[in-house]
Amino acid sequence: MEIPKNKKIYFASDNHLGAPTDEASKPREKKFVRWLDTIKEDAAAIFLLGDLFDFWFEYKHVVPKGFVRTLGKLAEISDSGIPIYFFVGNHDLWMNNYFEKELNIPVYHQPKEFTFNNKVFLIGHGDGLGPGDKGYKRMKKVFIHPFSKWLYRWLHPDIGVPLAKHLSVKNKLISGDEDAKFLGEDKEWLAIYAKRKLTQKHYDYFVFGHRHLPMEINVGKNASYFNLGDWINYYTYGVFDGEKFEVKTFD
């Protein structure tokens, strides 16, 4: 993709809408919608890198209620012709085709490579990548197994949704709250993952979420790993203007 002159590509991650409660997250949702309104003026594309919701599950005919401001704004932007790409996170990994059918937003379950102005990006949420995190990796295999999803659908939404919301907030293994601190450049496992990927192919930028910490780490010659932070404590986002990538704060 060639970015048109005076256009930019925007990235955001880890809104966790609905946490710790729907009411408590509403001011954050409104701020996120203001950000979307701001960037739509010069956005060539928008990437949402997961955990937009603190919990999301698509039944055959039902999705969790709420988030209408965000969903409506995404629909408006998508309908205007600005492409939006969504990567599932560990909190909304049970996403299927609702975004694709209703909002015309493609959904990715694995990191994906994109090239913008001859700069090669590897983009994803970031959960389960790199060394360590073995407990979560085992749990994720159970969560994404088709039998687990089939079994969960037998719970009535009035039971299944509140139960999952409770576990999403309380279970630190799921939320990642326990390790939301900088580990050091040599121990950040997404940086380690990026360095390993560079042995196979060159990437200019690795862009991930999940860690809830805005950061930039040089991982090789002309190669950088960026983490987008979150929309809980930092309100940070990524922007690529066709030449360089930056993480900025939305006030």
Side-chain angles (χ1 to χ4, degrees), residues 228-243:
L228 298 175
D230 67 19
W231 283 73
I232 301 172
N233 297 307
Y234 296 101
Y235 301 96
T236 43
Y237 64 95
V239 57
F240 180 64
D241 64 3
E243 296 182 2

Side-chain angles (χ1 to χ4, degrees), residues 6 18 21 45 79-80 103 114 132 138 142 167 192 204 214 235 242:
N6 298 322
T21 65
D79 288 348
S80 75
L103 307 175
F114 290 82
R138 288 193 294 268
V142 174
L167 293 174
I192 296 171
D204 296 283
Y235 301 96

Side-chain angles (χ1 to χ4, degrees), residues 14 18 34 63 86 96 114 116 133 143 146 151 155 157 162 192 233 249:
D14 293 275
R34 280 200 295 112
V63 296
F86 191 92
N96 289 319
F114 290 82
F116 308 116
D133 215 6
F143 278 7
L151 194 63
L155 284 176
I192 296 171
N233 297 307
T249 302

Side-chain angles (χ1 to χ4, degrees), residues 87-88 108-114 121-127 129 140 190 193 197 207-208:
F87 289 78
V88 302
Y108 302 101
H109 292 260
Q110 300 292 335
K112 184 173 174 62
E113 178 183 314
F114 290 82
F121 286 69
L122 189 64
I123 300 169
H125 181 63
D127 61 310
L129 302 179
K140 183 178 180 179
L190 281 171
Y193 169 81
K197 294 295 288 185
V207 184
F208 295 109

Side-chain angles (χ1 to χ4, degrees), residues 83-101:
I84 303 174
Y85 304 89
F86 191 92
F87 289 78
V88 302
N90 49 305
H91 283 253
D92 42 29
L93 53 80
W94 278 344
M95 185 172 284
N96 289 319
N97 59 9
Y98 180 81
F99 266 40
E100 293 170 336
K101 286 186 174 182

